[in-house]
Structure formats: C-alpha cells, structure tokens
Amino acid sequence: GDYANPTSIFKATEMLLNHIGFKAAASKLAKALEICTETEKSIVVTGDTDGATTAEFSEYVMETIKTIS
C-alpha cells in the first residue's frame, strides 16, 4: 500500500549489494538508512495516513544517499 514501510526492502538491497561485491554502494545505503531512520528522521513512515507514504520515504532515502561521499 501507499503507507507500507520500505525500510526492509532497502536493508535487503544493502545485503545483496554487499553479497555481490558492491561494498561501497552497500555502505552508502546503510549510512543513508541510519540517517533517515535514526539520526535525522525528517520523514517518518507510520504505516498510516498520518505518516509519510512509501514513495515519500523512498525519495528521502535516495536524496540522502546523494549527500554521502
């Protein structure tokens, strides 16, 4: 649904990237998830209409990845 939390998909992607040897990409994704879910938390998925949508949170993660060097 529109309000499902995509964090587990991102974590699975991180694990896959690590497994196939894309360690730097996996590390960036892990750092972005840490920022988005623990440190900064500018957008929060609650699983209901009072939180961010899956698309909004996913965009937040992707934009955060762009800021990580």
Side-chain angles (χ1 to χ4, degrees):
D2 288 341
Y3 295 94
N5 190 335
T7 303
S8 61
I9 299 297
F10 282 122
K11 286 299 289 180
T13 302
E14 175 199 338
M15 292 176 1
L16 175 64
L17 288 169
N18 245 329
H19 178 72
I20 61 175
F22 290 91
K23 307 277 187 206
S27 179
K28 272 183 137 177
L29 180 53
K31 182 64 177 168
L33 286 173
E34 181 182 325
I35 291 167
C36 294
T37 62
E38 297 174 26
T39 309
E40 189 177 274
K41 298 196 288 189
S42 293
I43 294 178
V44 178
V45 177
T46 64
D48 206 347
T49 57
D50 65 338
T53 65
T54 302
E56 290 168 340
F57 183 78
S58 297
E59 184 64 28
Y60 175 40
V61 172
M62 299 308 291
E63 290 299 316
T64 301
I65 287 172
K66 293 178 186 176
T67 69
I68 299 170
S69 53

